[in-house]
Amino acid sequence: GGGRGQHKLIVKRFKEIHVDFTLDYDRRRSALDEKRRRHELLSSSGVGAGGGQGDESDTAQLLRERTALNSSLSSSRGIISQASSIFTSLKEQRANLGRSKDRAAGIGSSIPGINRIVDGIRRRRQRDNMVLGAVIAGCVLFTMWYWVG
C-alpha cells in the first residue's frame, strides 16, 4: 500500500533527475563539440596565421549560424523531453483519477443512501451557482447602466 506509493514517488523523482542530467550532458557535449569544430575550422582555414579577411568573415558567419542552429536544436530537445515527462505524469494522473472514480462508484453502489446525499449536495451546489451567476449578472448590468447613464 503505502510503501508502493513511496516507491513510485522515488522512481518518478529518479526519472526526473535522469532527464535533468541527460539534458545537462547533451548541452555540455554539444558545447564541447562546438569548441572542437571551431578549433578544427579555425586551424585548418589559416585564420590568425595570415588568412584572408574575407575568409575570416565568412568563417565567422558560418560559425555563428551553426552555433545558433545547435542552440535551437538543444532547446528543442529540452522542450520535447519536458513535454514527454509531463505527458507521462498526466497519464499517471488520469489513471489515478479513473481508479478514484471507480472506487467512488463502488462505494455509491454498495451504500444506497449515499446516492441521495450526493444528489442533494449536487442540487444545492447547482442552486448556489445559479444565485451567484444572477448576482454577477446584476452587478454587470448595474455597472453598464451606470456608465451609460
Side-chain angles (χ1 to χ4, degrees):
R4 187 174 182 148
Q6 283 182 330
H7 179 60
K8 285 184 179 182
L9 290 174
I10 291 171
V11 169
K12 182 179 178 183
R13 179 65 185 139
F14 280 137
K15 285 181 181 179
E16 291 171 354
I17 290 171
H18 178 262
V19 167
D20 290 341
F21 281 146
T22 302
L23 291 174
D24 187 46
Y25 172 77
D26 288 342
R27 278 193 290 264
R28 290 175 189 252
R29 185 185 56 176
S30 65
L32 184 62
D33 287 344
E34 178 61 33
K35 286 180 183 179
R36 182 183 48 81
R37 287 185 199 124
R38 185 170 192 267
H39 176 72
E40 288 174 359
L41 185 61
L42 293 177
S43 65
S44 67
S45 67
V47 173
Q53 195 66 5
D55 289 339
E56 183 176 331
S57 170
D58 292 341
T59 302
Q61 178 65 28
L62 288 173
L63 286 173
R64 283 193 299 273
E65 287 180 20
R66 186 172 62 194
T67 301
L69 289 173
N70 285 337
S71 175
S72 297
L73 286 173
S74 177
S75 296
S76 299
R77 282 189 208 110
I79 290 170
I80 289 171
S81 175
Q82 287 176 346
S84 176
S85 175
I86 290 170
F87 176 71
T88 303
S89 176
L90 288 174
K91 282 187 350 186
E92 290 173 5
Q93 287 179 6
R94 180 179 61 188
N96 287 336
L97 287 174
R99 285 191 295 271
S100 297
K101 181 181 175 187
D102 292 342
R103 285 183 195 153
I107 290 172
S109 65
S110 66
I111 304 172
I114 199 96
N115 284 334
R116 282 183 299 174
I117 293 171
V118 170
D119 287 340
I121 291 170
R122 188 176 299 127
R123 281 192 302 269
R124 242 185 236 143
R125 203 165 91 207
Q126 191 175 22
R127 185 185 66 217
D128 289 347
N129 285 341
M130 294 293 282
V131 169
L132 182 63
V135 168
I136 290 172
C139 289
V140 168
L141 289 173
F142 178 75
T143 303
M144 289 173 54
W145 176 69
Y146 181 75
W147 280 343
V148 170

